[in-house]
Amino acid sequence: MLIIKVKDGENIDRALKRYKRKHRDTKLMRELRERREYTKESVRRRAEVKKAQYKERLSSSND
């Protein structure tokens, strides 16, 4: 459970922004989406390699 303490005189929008950032950083939604269905380890590894190749291609084209 996330707890956000609103400081005296703090804008509610600012506190809400802190809450959203904390929620995103916990990666809870990502984990829930991943657990919806089982992914074989080989498929997961293949996706990681593909993502790494994509990132490498992006960084090499910018140089």
Side-chain angles (χ1 to χ4, degrees):
M1 178 199 243
L2 293 175
I3 297 174
I4 303 295
K5 296 192 183 209
V6 181
K7 300 167 186 161
D8 290 337
E10 184 181 22
N11 190 352
I12 190 71
D13 292 329
R14 191 124 177 104
L16 188 60
K17 188 174 184 177
R18 282 196 344 223
Y19 170 77
K20 288 179 181 179
R21 188 178 328 126
K22 259 191 181 182
H23 184 268
R24 184 188 65 222
D25 291 345
T26 60
K27 300 177 185 174
L28 177 68
M29 293 305 294
R30 181 182 298 175
E31 185 178 341
L32 288 174
R33 287 186 191 117
E34 286 175 0
R35 288 180 179 221
R36 276 190 192 161
E37 57 187 35
Y38 178 73
T39 308
K40 288 180 10 180
E41 191 63 35
S42 60
V43 174
R44 189 177 305 148
R45 204 172 319 125
R46 195 177 319 132
E48 286 178 11
V49 168
K50 193 174 181 182
K51 185 176 180 180
Q53 288 172 344
Y54 173 75
K55 283 185 169 184
E56 183 67 29
R57 206 172 35 238
L58 280 180
S59 67
S60 67
S61 67
N62 289 341
D63 290 342

Short mmCIF file of all heavy atoms in Angstrom, two decimals:
data_model
loop_
_atom_site.label_atom_id
_atom_site.label_comp_id
_atom_site.label_asym_id
_atom_site.label_seq_id
_atom_site.Cartn_x
_atom_site.Cartn_y
_atom_site.Cartn_z
N MET A 1 0.84 -1.17 0.00
CA MET A 1 0.00 0.00 0.00
C MET A 1 0.89 1.24 0.00
O MET A 1 1.82 1.35 0.79
CB MET A 1 -0.88 -0.02 1.24
CG MET A 1 -1.74 1.18 1.33
SD MET A 1 -2.31 1.38 2.97
CE MET A 1 -3.96 1.25 3.02
N LEU A 2 0.59 2.14 -0.90
CA LEU A 2 1.36 3.37 -1.00
C LEU A 2 0.78 4.44 -0.08
O LEU A 2 -0.43 4.62 -0.02
CB LEU A 2 1.33 3.90 -2.43
CG LEU A 2 2.04 3.04 -3.46
CD1 LEU A 2 1.83 3.62 -4.85
CD2 LEU A 2 3.50 2.94 -3.16
N ILE A 3 1.66 5.09 0.62
CA ILE A 3 1.23 6.17 1.51
C ILE A 3 1.92 7.45 1.08
O ILE A 3 3.15 7.50 0.96
CB ILE A 3 1.58 5.85 2.97
CG1 ILE A 3 0.83 4.60 3.41
CG2 ILE A 3 1.24 7.03 3.87
CD1 ILE A 3 1.20 4.10 4.76
N ILE A 4 1.13 8.46 0.82
CA ILE A 4 1.64 9.77 0.43
C ILE A 4 1.20 10.76 1.49
O ILE A 4 0.01 10.96 1.71
CB ILE A 4 1.08 10.20 -0.95
CG1 ILE A 4 1.39 9.18 -2.03
CG2 ILE A 4 1.60 11.57 -1.33
CD1 ILE A 4 2.85 9.02 -2.32
N LYS A 5 2.16 11.36 2.14
CA LYS A 5 1.83 12.36 3.17
C LYS A 5 1.78 13.73 2.51
O LYS A 5 2.75 14.18 1.91
CB LYS A 5 2.87 12.34 4.27
CG LYS A 5 2.88 11.02 4.99
CD LYS A 5 3.69 11.05 6.24
CE LYS A 5 3.67 9.65 6.82
NZ LYS A 5 3.79 9.57 8.22
N VAL A 6 0.63 14.36 2.60
CA VAL A 6 0.45 15.70 2.04
C VAL A 6 0.96 16.70 3.07
O VAL A 6 0.51 16.72 4.21
CB VAL A 6 -1.03 15.96 1.71
CG1 VAL A 6 -1.21 17.33 1.11
CG2 VAL A 6 -1.55 14.89 0.77
N LYS A 7 1.91 17.50 2.64
CA LYS A 7 2.51 18.48 3.53
C LYS A 7 1.60 19.69 3.68
O LYS A 7 0.73 19.93 2.84
CB LYS A 7 3.88 18.90 2.98
CG LYS A 7 4.83 17.73 2.86
CD LYS A 7 6.05 18.08 2.04
CE LYS A 7 6.88 16.82 1.84
NZ LYS A 7 7.80 16.94 0.74
N ASP A 8 1.81 20.44 4.74
CA ASP A 8 0.99 21.64 4.97
C ASP A 8 1.18 22.63 3.82
O ASP A 8 2.30 22.95 3.45
CB ASP A 8 1.38 22.32 6.29
CG ASP A 8 0.96 21.49 7.50
OD1 ASP A 8 0.03 20.67 7.34
OD2 ASP A 8 1.56 21.67 8.57
N GLY A 9 0.08 23.07 3.26
CA GLY A 9 0.13 24.06 2.19
C GLY A 9 0.51 23.48 0.83
O GLY A 9 0.69 24.22 -0.12
N GLU A 10 0.61 22.17 0.75
CA GLU A 10 0.99 21.56 -0.53
C GLU A 10 -0.24 21.42 -1.42
O GLU A 10 -1.32 21.06 -0.97
CB GLU A 10 1.61 20.18 -0.31
CG GLU A 10 2.10 19.53 -1.59
CD GLU A 10 2.69 18.16 -1.35
OE1 GLU A 10 2.37 17.53 -0.34
OE2 GLU A 10 3.48 17.73 -2.21
N ASN A 11 -0.05 21.70 -2.68
CA ASN A 11 -1.10 21.59 -3.66
C ASN A 11 -1.49 20.11 -3.83
O ASN A 11 -0.62 19.24 -3.87
CB ASN A 11 -0.61 22.18 -4.98
CG ASN A 11 -1.73 22.33 -5.98
OD1 ASN A 11 -2.84 21.88 -5.78
ND2 ASN A 11 -1.41 22.98 -7.09
N ILE A 12 -2.78 19.83 -3.95
CA ILE A 12 -3.24 18.45 -4.10
C ILE A 12 -2.74 17.84 -5.41
O ILE A 12 -2.47 16.65 -5.50
CB ILE A 12 -4.77 18.35 -3.96
CG1 ILE A 12 -5.23 16.90 -3.85
CG2 ILE A 12 -5.45 19.01 -5.13
CD1 ILE A 12 -4.87 16.26 -2.55
N ASP A 13 -2.62 18.68 -6.45
CA ASP A 13 -2.12 18.19 -7.73
C ASP A 13 -0.68 17.68 -7.60
O ASP A 13 -0.31 16.68 -8.20
CB ASP A 13 -2.19 19.28 -8.80
CG ASP A 13 -3.62 19.63 -9.16
OD1 ASP A 13 -4.48 18.72 -9.08
OD2 ASP A 13 -3.87 20.79 -9.52
N ARG A 14 0.09 18.39 -6.80
CA ARG A 14 1.49 17.98 -6.59
C ARG A 14 1.57 16.64 -5.85
O ARG A 14 2.36 15.78 -6.19
CB ARG A 14 2.21 19.07 -5.80
CG ARG A 14 3.68 18.90 -5.74
CD ARG A 14 4.33 20.17 -6.26
NE ARG A 14 5.77 20.09 -6.17
CZ ARG A 14 6.54 19.86 -7.21
NH1 ARG A 14 6.02 19.73 -8.40
NH2 ARG A 14 7.84 19.81 -7.07
N ALA A 15 0.71 16.49 -4.84
CA ALA A 15 0.68 15.23 -4.09
C ALA A 15 0.21 14.09 -4.99
O ALA A 15 0.73 12.98 -4.91
CB ALA A 15 -0.24 15.37 -2.88
N LEU A 16 -0.75 14.36 -5.85
CA LEU A 16 -1.24 13.35 -6.77
C LEU A 16 -0.14 12.94 -7.76
O LEU A 16 0.00 11.76 -8.09
CB LEU A 16 -2.45 13.89 -7.53
CG LEU A 16 -3.22 12.91 -8.40
CD1 LEU A 16 -3.75 11.77 -7.56
CD2 LEU A 16 -4.35 13.62 -9.10
N LYS A 17 0.64 13.91 -8.19
CA LYS A 17 1.75 13.62 -9.09
C LYS A 17 2.78 12.73 -8.40
O LYS A 17 3.30 11.79 -9.00
CB LYS A 17 2.40 14.94 -9.54
CG LYS A 17 3.42 14.79 -10.61
CD LYS A 17 3.89 16.15 -11.09
CE LYS A 17 4.84 16.02 -12.25
NZ LYS A 17 5.26 17.30 -12.77
N ARG A 18 3.06 13.00 -7.11
CA ARG A 18 3.99 12.15 -6.35
C ARG A 18 3.45 10.74 -6.22
O ARG A 18 4.18 9.76 -6.34
CB ARG A 18 4.22 12.74 -4.96
CG ARG A 18 5.17 13.89 -4.96
CD ARG A 18 5.68 14.21 -3.58
NE ARG A 18 4.88 13.60 -2.53
CZ ARG A 18 4.50 14.21 -1.42
NH1 ARG A 18 4.85 15.44 -1.20
NH2 ARG A 18 3.77 13.61 -0.52
N TYR A 19 2.13 10.62 -5.99
CA TYR A 19 1.50 9.30 -5.88
C TYR A 19 1.64 8.53 -7.18
O TYR A 19 2.01 7.35 -7.18
CB TYR A 19 0.03 9.44 -5.51
CG TYR A 19 -0.72 8.13 -5.63
CD1 TYR A 19 -0.60 7.16 -4.66
CD2 TYR A 19 -1.52 7.87 -6.73
CE1 TYR A 19 -1.26 5.96 -4.77
CE2 TYR A 19 -2.17 6.67 -6.86
CZ TYR A 19 -2.04 5.72 -5.88
OH TYR A 19 -2.69 4.52 -6.01
N LYS A 20 1.35 9.18 -8.29
CA LYS A 20 1.45 8.51 -9.59
C LYS A 20 2.87 8.06 -9.88
O LYS A 20 3.09 6.97 -10.41
CB LYS A 20 0.96 9.45 -10.70
CG LYS A 20 -0.53 9.66 -10.70
CD LYS A 20 -0.93 10.60 -11.81
CE LYS A 20 -2.42 10.84 -11.83
NZ LYS A 20 -2.82 11.77 -12.88
N ARG A 21 3.85 8.89 -9.52
CA ARG A 21 5.25 8.53 -9.74
C ARG A 21 5.63 7.32 -8.89
O ARG A 21 6.28 6.39 -9.36
CB ARG A 21 6.15 9.71 -9.41
CG ARG A 21 7.60 9.47 -9.79
CD ARG A 21 8.51 10.65 -9.52
NE ARG A 21 7.87 11.95 -9.67
CZ ARG A 21 7.84 12.90 -8.73
NH1 ARG A 21 8.42 12.70 -7.58
NH2 ARG A 21 7.26 14.04 -8.95
N LYS A 22 5.19 7.32 -7.62
CA LYS A 22 5.48 6.18 -6.74
C LYS A 22 4.83 4.91 -7.27
O LYS A 22 5.42 3.84 -7.26
CB LYS A 22 4.97 6.45 -5.33
CG LYS A 22 6.02 6.87 -4.37
CD LYS A 22 5.48 6.85 -2.96
CE LYS A 22 6.52 7.31 -1.99
NZ LYS A 22 6.07 7.27 -0.61
N HIS A 23 3.60 5.04 -7.73
CA HIS A 23 2.87 3.89 -8.27
C HIS A 23 3.58 3.33 -9.49
O HIS A 23 3.73 2.12 -9.63
CB HIS A 23 1.44 4.30 -8.62
CG HIS A 23 0.60 3.16 -9.07
ND1 HIS A 23 0.47 2.83 -10.39
CD2 HIS A 23 -0.14 2.27 -8.38
CE1 HIS A 23 -0.33 1.79 -10.49
NE2 HIS A 23 -0.70 1.44 -9.28
N ARG A 24 4.04 4.21 -10.36
CA ARG A 24 4.74 3.76 -11.57
C ARG A 24 6.06 3.08 -11.20
O ARG A 24 6.43 2.07 -11.79
CB ARG A 24 5.01 4.96 -12.48
CG ARG A 24 5.64 4.58 -13.80
CD ARG A 24 6.06 5.80 -14.58
NE ARG A 24 7.12 6.49 -13.86
CZ ARG A 24 7.22 7.80 -13.70
NH1 ARG A 24 6.31 8.58 -14.21
NH2 ARG A 24 8.21 8.33 -13.04
N ASP A 25 6.76 3.62 -10.21
CA ASP A 25 8.06 3.09 -9.83
C ASP A 25 7.97 1.72 -9.15
O ASP A 25 8.94 0.98 -9.14
CB ASP A 25 8.80 4.07 -8.93
CG ASP A 25 9.22 5.31 -9.67
OD1 ASP A 25 9.19 5.31 -10.92
OD2 ASP A 25 9.58 6.30 -9.01
N THR A 26 6.83 1.38 -8.58
CA THR A 26 6.69 0.07 -7.95
C THR A 26 6.52 -1.03 -8.99
O THR A 26 6.70 -2.20 -8.68
CB THR A 26 5.48 0.02 -7.00
OG1 THR A 26 4.31 0.30 -7.73
CG2 THR A 26 5.65 0.96 -5.84
N LYS A 27 6.18 -0.66 -10.21
CA LYS A 27 6.00 -1.59 -11.33
C LYS A 27 4.92 -2.63 -11.06
O LYS A 27 4.97 -3.74 -11.56
CB LYS A 27 7.33 -2.27 -11.69
CG LYS A 27 8.40 -1.28 -12.08
CD LYS A 27 9.70 -1.94 -12.36
CE LYS A 27 10.76 -0.89 -12.63
NZ LYS A 27 12.06 -1.44 -12.77
N LEU A 28 3.94 -2.26 -10.28
CA LEU A 28 2.86 -3.17 -9.93
C LEU A 28 2.02 -3.52 -11.14
O LEU A 28 1.73 -4.69 -11.39
CB LEU A 28 1.98 -2.54 -8.85
CG LEU A 28 0.77 -3.34 -8.42
CD1 LEU A 28 1.23 -4.57 -7.68
CD2 LEU A 28 -0.13 -2.50 -7.54
N MET A 29 1.65 -2.52 -11.93
CA MET A 29 0.79 -2.79 -13.09
C MET A 29 1.51 -3.65 -14.12
O MET A 29 0.91 -4.52 -14.74
CB MET A 29 0.33 -1.47 -13.73
CG MET A 29 -0.61 -0.66 -12.86
SD MET A 29 -2.06 -1.58 -12.31
CE MET A 29 -2.91 -1.84 -13.84
N ARG A 30 2.79 -3.42 -14.30
CA ARG A 30 3.56 -4.23 -15.25
C ARG A 30 3.56 -5.69 -14.84
O ARG A 30 3.36 -6.59 -15.65
CB ARG A 30 4.99 -3.71 -15.35
CG ARG A 30 5.82 -4.49 -16.35
CD ARG A 30 7.23 -4.00 -16.40
NE ARG A 30 7.26 -2.61 -16.84
CZ ARG A 30 8.34 -1.87 -16.90
NH1 ARG A 30 9.49 -2.37 -16.55
NH2 ARG A 30 8.30 -0.63 -17.31
N GLU A 31 3.74 -5.92 -13.54
CA GLU A 31 3.75 -7.29 -13.04
C GLU A 31 2.39 -7.95 -13.22
O GLU A 31 2.29 -9.12 -13.60
CB GLU A 31 4.15 -7.31 -11.57
CG GLU A 31 4.31 -8.70 -11.02
CD GLU A 31 4.75 -8.71 -9.58
OE1 GLU A 31 5.29 -7.70 -9.11
OE2 GLU A 31 4.55 -9.75 -8.92
N LEU A 32 1.32 -7.20 -12.94
CA LEU A 32 -0.02 -7.76 -13.11
C LEU A 32 -0.28 -8.12 -14.57
O LEU A 32 -0.87 -9.17 -14.86
CB LEU A 32 -1.08 -6.76 -12.63
CG LEU A 32 -1.17 -6.57 -11.12
CD1 LEU A 32 -2.15 -5.46 -10.79
CD2 LEU A 32 -1.58 -7.85 -10.45
N ARG A 33 0.15 -7.27 -15.49
CA ARG A 33 -0.04 -7.57 -16.91
C ARG A 33 0.75 -8.80 -17.33
O ARG A 33 0.29 -9.60 -18.14
CB ARG A 33 0.36 -6.37 -17.75
CG ARG A 33 -0.63 -5.24 -17.67
CD ARG A 33 -0.28 -4.12 -18.63
NE ARG A 33 -1.10 -2.96 -18.35
CZ ARG A 33 -0.63 -1.79 -17.95
NH1 ARG A 33 0.66 -1.61 -17.81
NH2 ARG A 33 -1.45 -0.79 -17.69
N GLU A 34 1.97 -8.92 -16.80
CA GLU A 34 2.79 -10.08 -17.14
C GLU A 34 2.19 -11.37 -16.61
O GLU A 34 2.32 -12.42 -17.23
CB GLU A 34 4.20 -9.91 -16.59
CG GLU A 34 5.04 -8.91 -17.34
CD GLU A 34 6.39 -8.68 -16.69
OE1 GLU A 34 6.69 -9.30 -15.65
OE2 GLU A 34 7.16 -7.86 -17.23
N ARG A 35 1.53 -11.31 -15.48
CA ARG A 35 0.98 -12.52 -14.86
C ARG A 35 -0.36 -12.94 -15.44
O ARG A 35 -0.91 -13.97 -15.04
CB ARG A 35 0.83 -12.30 -13.36
CG ARG A 35 2.14 -12.28 -12.64
CD ARG A 35 1.91 -12.06 -11.17
NE ARG A 35 3.16 -12.07 -10.46
CZ ARG A 35 3.32 -12.66 -9.29
NH1 ARG A 35 2.32 -13.27 -8.71
NH2 ARG A 35 4.49 -12.62 -8.69
N ARG A 36 -0.92 -12.17 -16.35
CA ARG A 36 -2.20 -12.55 -16.95
C ARG A 36 -2.10 -13.89 -17.65
O ARG A 36 -3.03 -14.69 -17.60
CB ARG A 36 -2.64 -11.51 -17.98
CG ARG A 36 -3.35 -10.36 -17.37
CD ARG A 36 -3.96 -9.51 -18.43
NE ARG A 36 -4.40 -8.25 -17.85
CZ ARG A 36 -4.63 -7.17 -18.53
NH1 ARG A 36 -4.49 -7.16 -19.83
NH2 ARG A 36 -5.03 -6.08 -17.93
N GLU A 37 -0.99 -14.11 -18.30
CA GLU A 37 -0.80 -15.39 -19.00
C GLU A 37 0.65 -15.82 -18.84
O GLU A 37 1.54 -14.98 -18.69
CB GLU A 37 -1.16 -15.28 -20.46
CG GLU A 37 -0.40 -14.23 -21.22
CD GLU A 37 -0.91 -14.03 -22.62
OE1 GLU A 37 -2.13 -14.13 -22.84
OE2 GLU A 37 -0.08 -13.77 -23.48
N TYR A 38 0.85 -17.12 -18.87
CA TYR A 38 2.20 -17.66 -18.69
C TYR A 38 3.01 -17.46 -19.97
O TYR A 38 2.52 -17.70 -21.07
CB TYR A 38 2.14 -19.14 -18.34
CG TYR A 38 3.50 -19.75 -18.20
CD1 TYR A 38 4.29 -19.47 -17.10
CD2 TYR A 38 4.01 -20.58 -19.18
CE1 TYR A 38 5.55 -20.01 -16.96
CE2 TYR A 38 5.27 -21.13 -19.06
CZ TYR A 38 6.03 -20.85 -17.95
OH TYR A 38 7.27 -21.38 -17.83
N THR A 39 4.24 -17.01 -19.82
CA THR A 39 5.16 -16.87 -20.95
C THR A 39 6.34 -17.80 -20.71
O THR A 39 6.96 -17.74 -19.65
CB THR A 39 5.67 -15.42 -21.07
OG1 THR A 39 4.55 -14.54 -21.07
CG2 THR A 39 6.46 -15.23 -22.33
N LYS A 40 6.59 -18.66 -21.69
CA LYS A 40 7.71 -19.58 -21.54
C LYS A 40 9.01 -18.79 -21.42
O LYS A 40 9.14 -17.70 -21.96
CB LYS A 40 7.80 -20.50 -22.76
CG LYS A 40 6.70 -21.52 -22.80
CD LYS A 40 6.72 -22.48 -23.97
CE LYS A 40 7.90 -22.49 -24.85
NZ LYS A 40 7.80 -23.45 -25.95
N GLU A 41 9.96 -19.39 -20.72
CA GLU A 41 11.24 -18.71 -20.48
C GLU A 41 11.96 -18.44 -21.79
O GLU A 41 12.57 -17.39 -21.97
CB GLU A 41 12.11 -19.57 -19.56
CG GLU A 41 13.33 -18.87 -19.05
CD GLU A 41 13.02 -17.66 -18.19
OE1 GLU A 41 12.03 -17.69 -17.45
OE2 GLU A 41 13.79 -16.69 -18.26
N SER A 42 11.88 -19.38 -22.75
CA SER A 42 12.57 -19.18 -24.02
C SER A 42 11.97 -18.01 -24.80
O SER A 42 12.69 -17.24 -25.43
CB SER A 42 12.51 -20.46 -24.86
OG SER A 42 11.16 -20.81 -25.13
N VAL A 43 10.67 -17.86 -24.73
CA VAL A 43 10.00 -16.76 -25.43
C VAL A 43 10.37 -15.43 -24.77
O VAL A 43 10.64 -14.44 -25.45
CB VAL A 43 8.47 -16.97 -25.42
CG1 VAL A 43 7.75 -15.76 -25.99
CG2 VAL A 43 8.11 -18.22 -26.18
N ARG A 44 10.41 -15.43 -23.44
CA ARG A 44 10.79 -14.21 -22.71
C ARG A 44 12.22 -13.81 -23.04
O ARG A 44 12.51 -12.64 -23.28
CB ARG A 44 10.63 -14.46 -21.21
CG ARG A 44 10.79 -13.22 -20.39
CD ARG A 44 10.57 -13.47 -18.92
NE ARG A 44 9.26 -14.09 -18.69
CZ ARG A 44 9.01 -14.96 -17.72
NH1 ARG A 44 9.95 -15.31 -16.89
NH2 ARG A 44 7.82 -15.47 -17.57
N ARG A 45 13.12 -14.80 -23.07
CA ARG A 45 14.52 -14.51 -23.39
C ARG A 45 14.66 -13.98 -24.82
O ARG A 45 15.41 -13.06 -25.08
CB ARG A 45 15.35 -15.79 -23.21
CG ARG A 45 16.79 -15.53 -22.95
CD ARG A 45 17.56 -16.78 -22.57
NE ARG A 45 16.83 -17.66 -21.68
CZ ARG A 45 16.57 -18.96 -21.92
NH1 ARG A 45 16.98 -19.52 -23.01
NH2 ARG A 45 15.90 -19.69 -21.05
N ARG A 46 13.91 -14.58 -25.74
CA ARG A 46 13.95 -14.14 -27.14
C ARG A 46 13.49 -12.70 -27.27
O ARG A 46 14.07 -11.90 -28.00
CB ARG A 46 13.07 -15.05 -27.99
CG ARG A 46 13.30 -14.91 -29.46
CD ARG A 46 12.46 -15.88 -30.28
NE ARG A 46 12.37 -17.20 -29.70
CZ ARG A 46 11.22 -17.89 -29.55
NH1 ARG A 46 10.08 -17.36 -29.94
NH2 ARG A 46 11.22 -19.08 -29.02
N ALA A 47 12.46 -12.33 -26.51
CA ALA A 47 11.96 -10.95 -26.54
C ALA A 47 13.00 -9.99 -25.96
O ALA A 47 13.17 -8.88 -26.48
CB ALA A 47 10.66 -10.86 -25.76
N GLU A 48 13.69 -10.41 -24.90
CA GLU A 48 14.73 -9.55 -24.31
C GLU A 48 15.87 -9.32 -25.30
O GLU A 48 16.38 -8.20 -25.42
CB GLU A 48 15.29 -10.19 -23.04
CG GLU A 48 14.36 -10.10 -21.86
CD GLU A 48 14.92 -10.78 -20.63
OE1 GLU A 48 16.12 -11.15 -20.63
OE2 GLU A 48 14.16 -10.93 -19.66
N VAL A 49 16.27 -10.38 -26.02
CA VAL A 49 17.35 -10.25 -27.00
C VAL A 49 16.91 -9.33 -28.12
O VAL A 49 17.67 -8.46 -28.57
CB VAL A 49 17.75 -11.64 -27.54
CG1 VAL A 49 18.65 -11.51 -28.76
CG2 VAL A 49 18.42 -12.45 -26.45
N LYS A 50 15.67 -9.50 -28.57
CA LYS A 50 15.15 -8.66 -29.65
C LYS A 50 15.12 -7.19 -29.23
O LYS A 50 15.48 -6.29 -30.00
CB LYS A 50 13.76 -9.14 -30.02
CG LYS A 50 13.22 -8.58 -31.30
CD LYS A 50 11.91 -9.25 -31.65
CE LYS A 50 11.37 -8.73 -32.95
NZ LYS A 50 10.08 -9.32 -33.29
N LYS A 51 14.71 -6.94 -27.98
CA LYS A 51 14.67 -5.57 -27.46
C LYS A 51 16.07 -4.99 -27.37
O LYS A 51 16.30 -3.82 -27.71
CB LYS A 51 14.00 -5.56 -26.10
CG LYS A 51 13.80 -4.19 -25.52
CD LYS A 51 13.05 -4.27 -24.20
CE LYS A 51 12.84 -2.90 -23.61
NZ LYS A 51 12.13 -2.97 -22.33
N ALA A 52 17.04 -5.81 -26.93
CA ALA A 52 18.42 -5.34 -26.82
C ALA A 52 18.98 -5.01 -28.20
O ALA A 52 19.70 -4.02 -28.37
CB ALA A 52 19.27 -6.40 -26.14
N GLN A 53 18.66 -5.83 -29.19
CA GLN A 53 19.13 -5.56 -30.55
C GLN A 53 18.54 -4.25 -31.07
O GLN A 53 19.22 -3.46 -31.72
CB GLN A 53 18.74 -6.71 -31.48
CG GLN A 53 19.53 -7.96 -31.25
CD GLN A 53 18.99 -9.14 -32.04
OE1 GLN A 53 17.86 -9.11 -32.54
NE2 GLN A 53 19.79 -10.19 -32.15
N TYR A 54 17.26 -4.03 -30.77
CA TYR A 54 16.60 -2.80 -31.20
C TYR A 54 17.25 -1.58 -30.56
O TYR A 54 17.54 -0.59 -31.24
CB TYR A 54 15.11 -2.88 -30.83
CG TYR A 54 14.35 -1.61 -31.06
CD1 TYR A 54 14.00 -1.21 -32.35
CD2 TYR A 54 13.98 -0.79 -30.01
CE1 TYR A 54 13.30 -0.05 -32.57
CE2 TYR A 54 13.27 0.37 -30.21
CZ TYR A 54 12.94 0.74 -31.50
OH TYR A 54 12.24 1.90 -31.71
N LYS A 55 17.51 -1.67 -29.25
CA LYS A 55 18.15 -0.55 -28.56
C LYS A 55 19.54 -0.29 -29.10
O LYS A 55 19.97 0.86 -29.25
CB LYS A 55 18.23 -0.82 -27.05
CG LYS A 55 16.93 -0.62 -26.33
CD LYS A 55 17.14 -0.81 -24.84
CE LYS A 55 15.94 -0.37 -24.05
NZ LYS A 55 16.19 -0.46 -22.62
N GLU A 56 20.27 -1.37 -29.38
CA GLU A 56 21.62 -1.22 -29.94
C GLU A 56 21.58 -0.56 -31.30
O GLU A 56 22.39 0.31 -31.62
CB GLU A 56 22.28 -2.61 -30.04
CG GLU A 56 23.69 -2.57 -30.54
CD GLU A 56 24.63 -1.89 -29.56
OE1 GLU A 56 24.38 -1.93 -28.35
OE2 GLU A 56 25.64 -1.31 -30.01
N ARG A 57 20.61 -0.94 -32.10
CA ARG A 57 20.47 -0.34 -33.44
C ARG A 57 20.14 1.14 -33.33
O ARG A 57 20.67 1.95 -34.10
CB ARG A 57 19.37 -1.09 -34.20
CG ARG A 57 19.52 -1.04 -35.68
CD ARG A 57 18.57 -1.92 -36.46
NE ARG A 57 17.25 -2.07 -35.87
CZ ARG A 57 16.71 -3.24 -35.52
NH1 ARG A 57 17.37 -4.35 -35.68
NH2 ARG A 57 15.50 -3.29 -35.00
N LEU A 58 19.30 1.50 -32.37
CA LEU A 58 18.96 2.91 -32.17
C LEU A 58 20.19 3.72 -31.73
O LEU A 58 20.42 4.81 -32.24
CB LEU A 58 17.88 3.06 -31.11
CG LEU A 58 16.45 2.81 -31.53
CD1 LEU A 58 15.51 3.01 -30.35
CD2 LEU A 58 16.02 3.68 -32.67
N SER A 59 20.94 3.17 -30.80
CA SER A 59 22.10 3.93 -30.28
C SER A 59 23.20 4.02 -31.31
O SER A 59 23.92 5.01 -31.36
CB SER A 59 22.62 3.29 -29.00
OG SER A 59 23.16 2.02 -29.26
N SER A 60 23.37 3.00 -32.15
CA SER A 60 24.44 3.05 -33.16
C SER A 60 24.08 4.00 -34.30
O SER A 60 24.95 4.59 -34.91
CB SER A 60 24.71 1.65 -33.70
OG SER A 60 23.61 1.18 -34.44
N SER A 61 22.78 4.16 -34.59
CA SER A 61 22.39 5.06 -35.67
C SER A 61 22.50 6.53 -35.24
O SER A 61 22.65 7.41 -36.07
CB SER A 61 20.97 4.75 -36.13
OG SER A 61 20.05 5.06 -35.11
N ASN A 62 22.43 6.79 -33.92
CA ASN A 62 22.53 8.17 -33.42
C ASN A 62 23.96 8.66 -33.32
O ASN A 62 24.22 9.83 -33.19
CB ASN A 62 21.84 8.28 -32.05
CG ASN A 62 20.34 8.19 -32.17
OD1 ASN A 62 19.79 8.39 -33.24
ND2 ASN A 62 19.69 7.86 -31.09
N ASP A 63 24.93 7.75 -33.34
CA ASP A 63 26.33 8.13 -33.18
C ASP A 63 26.90 8.78 -34.40
O ASP A 63 26.57 9.07 -35.37
CB ASP A 63 27.19 6.92 -32.85
CG ASP A 63 26.89 6.43 -31.43
OD1 ASP A 63 26.33 7.21 -30.66
OD2 ASP A 63 27.22 5.27 -31.14
#
